[in-house]
Amino acid sequence: MAQSSTGSGPGAAGHAVSRRGLLRAAGIGAGALAVPGLAAACSSDSGSGGTTKGGGSSSKITFGSNYSDPAPKQAFASLISASKSKTGVTTKINTTDHNTFQNNITSYLQGTPDDLATWFAGYRMQYFANQGLLDPIDDVWDKIGDNFPDVAKNLSKGVDGHYYLVPIYNYPWVVHYNKSTFASKGYEVPKDWDAFIALCKQMKKDKMVPLAFADKDLWPALGMFDILNMRINGYDYHMKLMQNKAAYTDKEVTKVFDQWRELMPYLQSGANGRIWQDAAKTLEAKKAGMMFQGTNQVAAQYVTDKKDIKDLDFFAYPAINPSFGQDYMDAPADGFIMPKKAKNTAGAKKVLEYIGTKEAEIAYLKYDQWDVGLAKDLVAPTYNDIQKKSAQMIAQQKAVAQFGDRDTDPAMATALEQAIQKFIGEPTPGMISTIQQSLAKQAKSIFNG
Amino acid sequence: MSAATADVGSVSRQQVGRRVPIGRILSYVLMIGATVLWLVPILFALYVSLRPYAETSKLGYVSLPHKLTFSNYVNAWQESDMFHFFLNSVLITLPAVIITLFLASLVAFVLTRVNIKINVAMLILFTAGNLLPQQVIITPLYRLYLLIPLPHFLADSGLMYNSIAGLVAINVAFQLGFCVFVLSNFMRTIPDEMYEAAIVDGASLWTRYWKLTLPLVRPALAALATLLTTWIYNDFFWAITLIETGSRRPVTSALANLQGQFVSNQNLIAAAAMIVAIPTLVVYMLLQRQFISGLTLGSTKG
Amino acid sequence: MASTVNDASPAVAQAPKRRRRRLGRLTKKEILVVLGMLAIPVVVDLAFVWGPALASVVLSFFRWSGVGGLHPRACRPSGGLIQDNGCFTGVDNYHRAATNYPPFWPAVEHNVLWLLVFIVIATPLGMLFAVVIDRGIKGSRIYQSVLFLPVMLSLALIGIIWEFIYSPNYGLINTVIGHNQDNNLIDWLGNPHLNLWAVLVAATWRQAGYVMVLYLAGLKAADPALREAAQVDGANAWQTFWRVIFPTLRPINIVIIVVTVIESLRAFDLVYIINKGSNGLELLSVLVTNNIVGETSQVGFGSALGVVLLVISLIPISIFLYQNFKRKEGR
């Protein structure tokens, strides 16, 4: 145990006190100064958030919300306060930011979920209903069924035919443009592909980006894939592909990518590094002529940026295959679900019954200037031109899809999103066939086919 | 630290005389250059945070300011209910840091001052445990958290999951290893004679730990407190995976609340980011003096 | 041997007892105290770190969405969307990662690149800063604080900060060099050949400060007498450092190497915030997260990726521990 000769180390000099002195000093409680409050902290671990539990009583529920942005947050709050005055049920809103809420949904539903939660329609909802994580709400639909058209009913059903969701709004994926730009340059709204490409060429000549485009968040470009697929191969094929009943190696899929290649020169470059908000800004600044995206994003961005929303207009994606024309589009619907583990189901159902009415949708839409309600023949008094047109357009569709990442298995959607990013980075025939091979192979393992 | 000493031979003094200025100049160029480069990103974000959104969305971030304002800070503070989230961060960080340091000092003391057979195995257990990637343990951990009940005064969820206490526990477990490692290295530098003297004076094992060792390792505790505060306060992963209710999250993950679904008011987010950075900087300022001296990572003493 | 005790000389009968205690033999009471000291930390560590890590290994042999229980039977193929869940797949997850998961090999490659950049650039840079500061130039306190600043920030924050630097149309770099128009922009974060390097700059910005502090701590512990002796012998600063100081720093060097390796394997937040680790920013940690935490919910598959990460991490950990204990044996 000899001490090393160098005697290095911090405080080595400091140790040269007499042992006695040191021990005496320590005895007088130098130790107590070392880590103040240590013992206290150990015994009283103050970890509780301090909120009271509102379990059981039918007049109190909690609502897990992913409306984290100021505007939807306000719209949702307005819906909830209207619901309280109507049903007498007090609702506590727990807001989590949109992306985190989505990422944690599986844990959330199995953990300690709220009595109600915001979620999406379509397979995104069915997936969790299949796993028994949601409560069916058929009795709620017995009361509210007459308020909704069949499209909305189908969106709210699980694979087993039971109802699991009450929708609140949807919004169309369309091509946005500024009226002033079209008026000043004398552009016409293109009805079919050739006119569309001609318009893009003209815009390029006029020193504009024809189509603002961004895909850093991975999901936006799925919208382009969906619409091209529905325009070229129709809604049924699109759904088959999403449901693993058609193969990604099909020539139909090749056609979609080939069509997309033709459009590539007119899409804003560097999309993989741009967030869609920045793409929307190029449209707002009139540096871009058009942008294909949901109104829920573009119009909302105009409102947030205090841009002139009256100048914003849109048209349905141009027709490609005459046999399908402009019959289909993505129109994702958002709504509310009741987790299996909900504590106060009676109170929650009361609130859902109210939410499934026209007046509830009107209460919500008071603060929402870009989505449209799903109730039959609803025209909210607060609708602006964008919303009126959206509602009409959705009503004219023969069928609407939910969106690439809402209609298929989440793992498959991720694979497709990543493949599309590769394609955007290198839109060549070789890359297309590589992507198709790889997607088909991945589908096999994801679905364990 | 003057290099040349009075009794150095003239030849070497010439060498020193010629070398030092060049070395000095290079050092200054390097350090000042690096400091400027290191500050640019932070200052740029600060600049963005002080400008109104309408202005930067028109002119871009790189442009001369027409107006500098703190309004982004005010909005960020109010819109995100930041005070509440700061409180959560304090409730998580403070207990976690204190408990980690206490437990780690116990283990380090036993490993360095008590001769037991399993010392090596213990050190391996703790050190290696700290080096595992977080993702490797998250799923089973989440399941475990759903199974462990907690009394309601600790967690109103009644579970480890979705409770601040649960977040404290995982932070403690995960940081223990590093602290045990640093503290045991530091404790090894305390001369053995002190302990022998203490034993002679009849000090019990506990006394030797509490009254002798702890005061001596204070610099290390301060240094670790700084690092731990930074790590635990900045933790993002545990907070978003083990806490479900938005209102119970610490402030770093609540930042995400501001990055909402559509609003990309980057100026507001920059302001919020600046506010969130303040606490760790304050802790660093307070404990700075002991920071370097306390980090004995590999003692040169065997 | 130990110094003699200058107390009143002990009785002969007591001497063996005292010596035994000094050598670390424990009384019954002391054993209880030691056990009490170790119990909580060991239980916490086993329950929350090692237990879950081992459970992950088990999970990696199953196909599981994170919902429901596990069954020890083989998986059945599905027709359509609804899949068999909680069933045993053997090594299928590993096989799939290696052969049928496009991001996997890029992720391995990027992790290796990340490590190389840290070893070749970030760590030496940090060491250089530390050495220069340690020599005590004017204003060293300021340099030290500024260079350490990024370490104090959360990675989420760093992601936000660098977003301003790299943003294609509005960012600092492109605006300054005039490449922010749509026909000529440099897509720092979206171009798969560029973005990893762009992110590595940000990662280095943080890592160098971290290494600097660790190394400063090591240099502080080096014996000043050595340096003075070397300088008296006429060695210049450079020679002093390499020939005299550096060899005494072996323990700290080992720590730095381990920290470097682990930090590059753990790299996560930065790429996750930038684009969820896709399109040229694939990293193993992000792939694990995307499969386990995201909606994807392929917990079994994600765990398999996690085990791969675990095994890779254990290599440097083992080397480090071996080195560490080899020294201890020599005591």
Side-chain angles (χ1 to χ4, degrees), chain C residues 205-232:
Chain C
W205 179 71
R206 181 170 186 269
Q207 184 69 9
Y210 187 32
V211 171
M212 172 191 79
V213 162
L214 296 180
Y215 215 67
L216 267 175
L219 288 169
K220 284 276 186 293
D223 194 354
L226 281 174
R227 181 180 323 208
E228 279 156 28
Q231 276 163 350
V232 169

PDB file of all heavy atoms in Angstrom, chain C residues 205-232:
ATOM      1  N   TRP C 205     -18.886  20.165 -33.596  1.00  0.00           N
ATOM      2  CA  TRP C 205     -19.003  21.425 -32.858  1.00  0.00           C
ATOM      3  C   TRP C 205     -19.306  21.150 -31.387  1.00  0.00           C
ATOM      4  O   TRP C 205     -18.818  21.823 -30.500  1.00  0.00           O
ATOM      5  CB  TRP C 205     -20.132  22.216 -33.516  1.00  0.00           C
ATOM      6  CG  TRP C 205     -20.490  23.539 -32.944  1.00  0.00           C
ATOM      7  CD1 TRP C 205     -19.752  24.684 -33.000  1.00  0.00           C
ATOM      8  CD2 TRP C 205     -21.711  23.885 -32.292  1.00  0.00           C
ATOM      9  NE1 TRP C 205     -20.448  25.710 -32.417  1.00  0.00           N
ATOM     10  CE2 TRP C 205     -21.649  25.254 -31.982  1.00  0.00           C
ATOM     11  CE3 TRP C 205     -22.870  23.173 -31.947  1.00  0.00           C
ATOM     12  CZ2 TRP C 205     -22.686  25.924 -31.342  1.00  0.00           C
ATOM     13  CZ3 TRP C 205     -23.902  23.829 -31.323  1.00  0.00           C
ATOM     14  CH2 TRP C 205     -23.807  25.199 -31.015  1.00  0.00           C
ATOM     15  N   ARG C 206     -20.094  20.120 -31.153  1.00  0.00           N
ATOM     16  CA  ARG C 206     -20.436  19.794 -29.785  1.00  0.00           C
ATOM     17  C   ARG C 206     -19.388  18.886 -29.145  1.00  0.00           C
ATOM     18  O   ARG C 206     -18.958  19.091 -28.019  1.00  0.00           O
ATOM     19  CB  ARG C 206     -21.792  19.100 -29.766  1.00  0.00           C
ATOM     20  CG  ARG C 206     -22.257  18.748 -28.400  1.00  0.00           C
ATOM     21  CD  ARG C 206     -23.695  18.286 -28.457  1.00  0.00           C
ATOM     22  NE  ARG C 206     -24.195  18.078 -27.113  1.00  0.00           N
ATOM     23  CZ  ARG C 206     -24.128  16.924 -26.486  1.00  0.00           C
ATOM     24  NH1 ARG C 206     -23.552  15.911 -27.084  1.00  0.00           N
ATOM     25  NH2 ARG C 206     -24.605  16.798 -25.279  1.00  0.00           N
ATOM     26  N   GLN C 207     -18.963  17.894 -29.892  1.00  0.00           N
ATOM     27  CA  GLN C 207     -18.090  16.860 -29.329  1.00  0.00           C
ATOM     28  C   GLN C 207     -16.732  17.429 -28.928  1.00  0.00           C
ATOM     29  O   GLN C 207     -16.175  17.041 -27.905  1.00  0.00           O
ATOM     30  CB  GLN C 207     -17.919  15.730 -30.355  1.00  0.00           C
ATOM     31  CG  GLN C 207     -17.128  14.541 -29.884  1.00  0.00           C
ATOM     32  CD  GLN C 207     -17.860  13.739 -28.826  1.00  0.00           C
ATOM     33  OE1 GLN C 207     -19.031  13.976 -28.559  1.00  0.00           O
ATOM     34  NE2 GLN C 207     -17.180  12.799 -28.207  1.00  0.00           N
ATOM     35  N   ALA C 208     -16.209  18.358 -29.734  1.00  0.00           N
ATOM     36  CA  ALA C 208     -14.874  18.891 -29.449  1.00  0.00           C
ATOM     37  C   ALA C 208     -14.842  19.533 -28.063  1.00  0.00           C
ATOM     38  O   ALA C 208     -13.875  19.360 -27.316  1.00  0.00           O
ATOM     39  CB  ALA C 208     -14.468  19.900 -30.518  1.00  0.00           C
ATOM     40  N   GLY C 209     -15.882  20.257 -27.718  1.00  0.00           N
ATOM     41  CA  GLY C 209     -15.928  20.896 -26.411  1.00  0.00           C
ATOM     42  C   GLY C 209     -15.963  19.881 -25.290  1.00  0.00           C
ATOM     43  O   GLY C 209     -15.336  20.056 -24.238  1.00  0.00           O
ATOM     44  N   TYR C 210     -16.668  18.806 -25.536  1.00  0.00           N
ATOM     45  CA  TYR C 210     -16.796  17.747 -24.542  1.00  0.00           C
ATOM     46  C   TYR C 210     -15.435  17.087 -24.302  1.00  0.00           C
ATOM     47  O   TYR C 210     -14.973  16.959 -23.165  1.00  0.00           O
ATOM     48  CB  TYR C 210     -17.825  16.744 -25.066  1.00  0.00           C
ATOM     49  CG  TYR C 210     -18.232  15.641 -24.125  1.00  0.00           C
ATOM     50  CD1 TYR C 210     -18.277  15.830 -22.755  1.00  0.00           C
ATOM     51  CD2 TYR C 210     -18.604  14.401 -24.634  1.00  0.00           C
ATOM     52  CE1 TYR C 210     -18.675  14.805 -21.909  1.00  0.00           C
ATOM     53  CE2 TYR C 210     -19.002  13.375 -23.799  1.00  0.00           C
ATOM     54  CZ  TYR C 210     -19.030  13.576 -22.446  1.00  0.00           C
ATOM     55  OH  TYR C 210     -19.418  12.563 -21.628  1.00  0.00           O
ATOM     56  N   VAL C 211     -14.774  16.731 -25.386  1.00  0.00           N
ATOM     57  CA  VAL C 211     -13.452  16.111 -25.278  1.00  0.00           C
ATOM     58  C   VAL C 211     -12.476  17.076 -24.615  1.00  0.00           C
ATOM     59  O   VAL C 211     -11.673  16.682 -23.770  1.00  0.00           O
ATOM     60  CB  VAL C 211     -12.943  15.685 -26.670  1.00  0.00           C
ATOM     61  CG1 VAL C 211     -11.491  15.241 -26.604  1.00  0.00           C
ATOM     62  CG2 VAL C 211     -13.803  14.568 -27.222  1.00  0.00           C
ATOM     63  N   MET C 212     -12.589  18.345 -24.976  1.00  0.00           N
ATOM     64  CA  MET C 212     -11.694  19.342 -24.403  1.00  0.00           C
ATOM     65  C   MET C 212     -11.784  19.333 -22.872  1.00  0.00           C
ATOM     66  O   MET C 212     -10.761  19.320 -22.179  1.00  0.00           O
ATOM     67  CB  MET C 212     -12.074  20.729 -24.920  1.00  0.00           C
ATOM     68  CG  MET C 212     -11.329  21.857 -24.243  1.00  0.00           C
ATOM     69  SD  MET C 212     -12.031  23.456 -24.653  1.00  0.00           S
ATOM     70  CE  MET C 212     -13.454  23.492 -23.563  1.00  0.00           C
ATOM     71  N   VAL C 213     -12.993  19.324 -22.366  1.00  0.00           N
ATOM     72  CA  VAL C 213     -13.163  19.362 -20.915  1.00  0.00           C
ATOM     73  C   VAL C 213     -12.614  18.104 -20.258  1.00  0.00           C
ATOM     74  O   VAL C 213     -11.902  18.169 -19.247  1.00  0.00           O
ATOM     75  CB  VAL C 213     -14.654  19.562 -20.576  1.00  0.00           C
ATOM     76  CG1 VAL C 213     -14.936  19.173 -19.146  1.00  0.00           C
ATOM     77  CG2 VAL C 213     -15.025  21.003 -20.807  1.00  0.00           C
ATOM     78  N   LEU C 214     -12.915  16.957 -20.836  1.00  0.00           N
ATOM     79  CA  LEU C 214     -12.406  15.707 -20.261  1.00  0.00           C
ATOM     80  C   LEU C 214     -10.880  15.727 -20.261  1.00  0.00           C
ATOM     81  O   LEU C 214     -10.229  15.330 -19.299  1.00  0.00           O
ATOM     82  CB  LEU C 214     -12.905  14.505 -21.073  1.00  0.00           C
ATOM     83  CG  LEU C 214     -14.413  14.280 -21.082  1.00  0.00           C
ATOM     84  CD1 LEU C 214     -14.755  13.058 -21.917  1.00  0.00           C
ATOM     85  CD2 LEU C 214     -14.960  14.085 -19.677  1.00  0.00           C
ATOM     86  N   TYR C 215     -10.326  16.237 -21.342  1.00  0.00           N
ATOM     87  CA  TYR C 215      -8.876  16.210 -21.462  1.00  0.00           C
ATOM     88  C   TYR C 215      -8.219  17.221 -20.536  1.00  0.00           C
ATOM     89  O   TYR C 215      -7.154  16.968 -19.969  1.00  0.00           O
ATOM     90  CB  TYR C 215      -8.482  16.507 -22.913  1.00  0.00           C
ATOM     91  CG  TYR C 215      -7.275  15.728 -23.308  1.00  0.00           C
ATOM     92  CD1 TYR C 215      -7.350  14.345 -23.399  1.00  0.00           C
ATOM     93  CD2 TYR C 215      -6.062  16.339 -23.545  1.00  0.00           C
ATOM     94  CE1 TYR C 215      -6.244  13.602 -23.727  1.00  0.00           C
ATOM     95  CE2 TYR C 215      -4.953  15.599 -23.888  1.00  0.00           C
ATOM     96  CZ  TYR C 215      -5.047  14.237 -23.976  1.00  0.00           C
ATOM     97  OH  TYR C 215      -3.953  13.500 -24.288  1.00  0.00           O
ATOM     98  N   LEU C 216      -8.890  18.359 -20.389  1.00  0.00           N
ATOM     99  CA  LEU C 216      -8.383  19.354 -19.438  1.00  0.00           C
ATOM    100  C   LEU C 216      -8.287  18.734 -18.059  1.00  0.00           C
ATOM    101  O   LEU C 216      -7.308  18.938 -17.338  1.00  0.00           O
ATOM    102  CB  LEU C 216      -9.325  20.557 -19.384  1.00  0.00           C
ATOM    103  CG  LEU C 216      -9.001  21.714 -20.314  1.00  0.00           C
ATOM    104  CD1 LEU C 216     -10.095  22.761 -20.227  1.00  0.00           C
ATOM    105  CD2 LEU C 216      -7.665  22.340 -19.933  1.00  0.00           C
ATOM    106  N   ALA C 217      -9.330  17.988 -17.703  1.00  0.00           N
ATOM    107  CA  ALA C 217      -9.328  17.343 -16.399  1.00  0.00           C
ATOM    108  C   ALA C 217      -8.125  16.417 -16.286  1.00  0.00           C
ATOM    109  O   ALA C 217      -7.453  16.373 -15.251  1.00  0.00           O
ATOM    110  CB  ALA C 217     -10.628  16.568 -16.206  1.00  0.00           C
ATOM    111  N   GLY C 218      -7.838  15.700 -17.369  1.00  0.00           N
ATOM    112  CA  GLY C 218      -6.699  14.788 -17.340  1.00  0.00           C
ATOM    113  C   GLY C 218      -5.375  15.538 -17.231  1.00  0.00           C
ATOM    114  O   GLY C 218      -4.498  15.166 -16.463  1.00  0.00           O
ATOM    115  N   LEU C 219      -5.275  16.645 -17.979  1.00  0.00           N
ATOM    116  CA  LEU C 219      -4.039  17.418 -17.949  1.00  0.00           C
ATOM    117  C   LEU C 219      -3.806  18.037 -16.581  1.00  0.00           C
ATOM    118  O   LEU C 219      -2.680  18.116 -16.102  1.00  0.00           O
ATOM    119  CB  LEU C 219      -4.092  18.526 -19.008  1.00  0.00           C
ATOM    120  CG  LEU C 219      -3.969  18.060 -20.449  1.00  0.00           C
ATOM    121  CD1 LEU C 219      -4.310  19.199 -21.399  1.00  0.00           C
ATOM    122  CD2 LEU C 219      -2.554  17.567 -20.727  1.00  0.00           C
ATOM    123  N   LYS C 220      -4.887  18.454 -15.946  1.00  0.00           N
ATOM    124  CA  LYS C 220      -4.772  19.062 -14.626  1.00  0.00           C
ATOM    125  C   LYS C 220      -4.177  18.068 -13.636  1.00  0.00           C
ATOM    126  O   LYS C 220      -3.475  18.447 -12.714  1.00  0.00           O
ATOM    127  CB  LYS C 220      -6.147  19.497 -14.124  1.00  0.00           C
ATOM    128  CG  LYS C 220      -6.676  20.761 -14.769  1.00  0.00           C
ATOM    129  CD  LYS C 220      -6.145  22.011 -14.093  1.00  0.00           C
ATOM    130  CE  LYS C 220      -6.791  23.268 -14.657  1.00  0.00           C
ATOM    131  NZ  LYS C 220      -6.421  23.527 -16.059  1.00  0.00           N
ATOM    132  N   ALA C 221      -4.503  16.799 -13.874  1.00  0.00           N
ATOM    133  CA  ALA C 221      -4.023  15.786 -12.940  1.00  0.00           C
ATOM    134  C   ALA C 221      -2.569  15.414 -13.213  1.00  0.00           C
ATOM    135  O   ALA C 221      -1.941  14.755 -12.408  1.00  0.00           O
ATOM    136  CB  ALA C 221      -4.907  14.550 -13.025  1.00  0.00           C
ATOM    137  N   ALA C 222      -2.068  15.855 -14.368  1.00  0.00           N
ATOM    138  CA  ALA C 222      -0.673  15.529 -14.679  1.00  0.00           C
ATOM    139  C   ALA C 222       0.235  16.329 -13.744  1.00  0.00           C
ATOM    140  O   ALA C 222      -0.082  17.438 -13.341  1.00  0.00           O
ATOM    141  CB  ALA C 222      -0.373  15.863 -16.128  1.00  0.00           C
ATOM    142  N   ASP C 223       1.347  15.757 -13.457  1.00  0.00           N
ATOM    143  CA  ASP C 223       2.211  16.338 -12.446  1.00  0.00           C
ATOM    144  C   ASP C 223       2.963  17.545 -12.992  1.00  0.00           C
ATOM    145  O   ASP C 223       3.706  17.429 -13.960  1.00  0.00           O
ATOM    146  CB  ASP C 223       3.207  15.260 -11.998  1.00  0.00           C
ATOM    147  CG  ASP C 223       3.907  15.676 -10.731  1.00  0.00           C
ATOM    148  OD1 ASP C 223       3.676  16.827 -10.301  1.00  0.00           O
ATOM    149  OD2 ASP C 223       4.655  14.861 -10.184  1.00  0.00           O
ATOM    150  N   PRO C 224       2.764  18.728 -12.400  1.00  0.00           N
ATOM    151  CA  PRO C 224       3.465  19.907 -12.894  1.00  0.00           C
ATOM    152  C   PRO C 224       4.990  19.751 -12.796  1.00  0.00           C
ATOM    153  O   PRO C 224       5.739  20.321 -13.599  1.00  0.00           O
ATOM    154  CB  PRO C 224       2.984  21.039 -11.989  1.00  0.00           C
ATOM    155  CG  PRO C 224       2.051  20.454 -11.020  1.00  0.00           C
ATOM    156  CD  PRO C 224       1.930  18.992 -11.245  1.00  0.00           C
ATOM    157  N   ALA C 225       5.435  18.982 -11.828  1.00  0.00           N
ATOM    158  CA  ALA C 225       6.880  18.809 -11.637  1.00  0.00           C
ATOM    159  C   ALA C 225       7.525  18.229 -12.895  1.00  0.00           C
ATOM    160  O   ALA C 225       8.612  18.619 -13.293  1.00  0.00           O
ATOM    161  CB  ALA C 225       7.136  17.902 -10.438  1.00  0.00           C
ATOM    162  N   LEU C 226       6.795  17.310 -13.535  1.00  0.00           N
ATOM    163  CA  LEU C 226       7.316  16.681 -14.751  1.00  0.00           C
ATOM    164  C   LEU C 226       7.600  17.724 -15.814  1.00  0.00           C
ATOM    165  O   LEU C 226       8.656  17.746 -16.435  1.00  0.00           O
ATOM    166  CB  LEU C 226       6.278  15.701 -15.308  1.00  0.00           C
ATOM    167  CG  LEU C 226       6.170  14.347 -14.633  1.00  0.00           C
ATOM    168  CD1 LEU C 226       5.007  13.582 -15.234  1.00  0.00           C
ATOM    169  CD2 LEU C 226       7.466  13.577 -14.840  1.00  0.00           C
ATOM    170  N   ARG C 227       6.633  18.596 -15.988  1.00  0.00           N
ATOM    171  CA  ARG C 227       6.746  19.592 -17.035  1.00  0.00           C
ATOM    172  C   ARG C 227       7.917  20.529 -16.743  1.00  0.00           C
ATOM    173  O   ARG C 227       8.713  20.847 -17.617  1.00  0.00           O
ATOM    174  CB  ARG C 227       5.452  20.386 -17.109  1.00  0.00           C
ATOM    175  CG  ARG C 227       5.459  21.419 -18.175  1.00  0.00           C
ATOM    176  CD  ARG C 227       4.168  22.149 -18.185  1.00  0.00           C
ATOM    177  NE  ARG C 227       3.070  21.215 -17.874  1.00  0.00           N
ATOM    178  CZ  ARG C 227       1.836  21.393 -18.312  1.00  0.00           C
ATOM    179  NH1 ARG C 227       1.550  22.417 -19.047  1.00  0.00           N
ATOM    180  NH2 ARG C 227       0.887  20.552 -18.000  1.00  0.00           N
ATOM    181  N   GLU C 228       7.979  20.939 -15.485  1.00  0.00           N
ATOM    182  CA  GLU C 228       9.057  21.862 -15.131  1.00  0.00           C
ATOM    183  C   GLU C 228      10.398  21.213 -15.369  1.00  0.00           C
ATOM    184  O   GLU C 228      11.307  21.816 -15.937  1.00  0.00           O
ATOM    185  CB  GLU C 228       8.917  22.299 -13.671  1.00  0.00           C
ATOM    186  CG  GLU C 228       7.893  23.416 -13.515  1.00  0.00           C
ATOM    187  CD  GLU C 228       7.311  23.485 -12.112  1.00  0.00           C
ATOM    188  OE1 GLU C 228       8.022  23.085 -11.169  1.00  0.00           O
ATOM    189  OE2 GLU C 228       6.161  23.923 -11.969  1.00  0.00           O
ATOM    190  N   ALA C 229      10.492  19.971 -14.977  1.00  0.00           N
ATOM    191  CA  ALA C 229      11.758  19.262 -15.164  1.00  0.00           C
ATOM    192  C   ALA C 229      12.117  19.229 -16.647  1.00  0.00           C
ATOM    193  O   ALA C 229      13.254  19.498 -17.036  1.00  0.00           O
ATOM    194  CB  ALA C 229      11.646  17.850 -14.620  1.00  0.00           C
ATOM    195  N   ALA C 230      11.139  18.946 -17.468  1.00  0.00           N
ATOM    196  CA  ALA C 230      11.392  18.855 -18.904  1.00  0.00           C
ATOM    197  C   ALA C 230      11.826  20.199 -19.452  1.00  0.00           C
ATOM    198  O   ALA C 230      12.726  20.284 -20.290  1.00  0.00           O
ATOM    199  CB  ALA C 230      10.128  18.395 -19.616  1.00  0.00           C
ATOM    200  N   GLN C 231      11.180  21.252 -18.963  1.00  0.00           N
ATOM    201  CA  GLN C 231      11.533  22.566 -19.494  1.00  0.00           C
ATOM    202  C   GLN C 231      12.918  22.987 -19.046  1.00  0.00           C
ATOM    203  O   GLN C 231      13.652  23.630 -19.783  1.00  0.00           O
ATOM    204  CB  GLN C 231      10.478  23.592 -19.067  1.00  0.00           C
ATOM    205  CG  GLN C 231       9.305  23.566 -20.028  1.00  0.00           C
ATOM    206  CD  GLN C 231       8.079  24.222 -19.454  1.00  0.00           C
ATOM    207  OE1 GLN C 231       8.032  24.538 -18.280  1.00  0.00           O
ATOM    208  NE2 GLN C 231       7.086  24.408 -20.286  1.00  0.00           N
ATOM    209  N   VAL C 232      13.270  22.617 -17.832  1.00  0.00           N
ATOM    210  CA  VAL C 232      14.614  22.922 -17.356  1.00  0.00           C
ATOM    211  C   VAL C 232      15.636  22.235 -18.256  1.00  0.00           C
ATOM    212  O   VAL C 232      16.682  22.774 -18.576  1.00  0.00           O
ATOM    213  CB  VAL C 232      14.785  22.489 -15.881  1.00  0.00           C
ATOM    214  CG1 VAL C 232      16.249  22.554 -15.464  1.00  0.00           C
ATOM    215  CG2 VAL C 232      13.942  23.387 -14.998  1.00  0.00           C
TER     216      VAL C 232
END
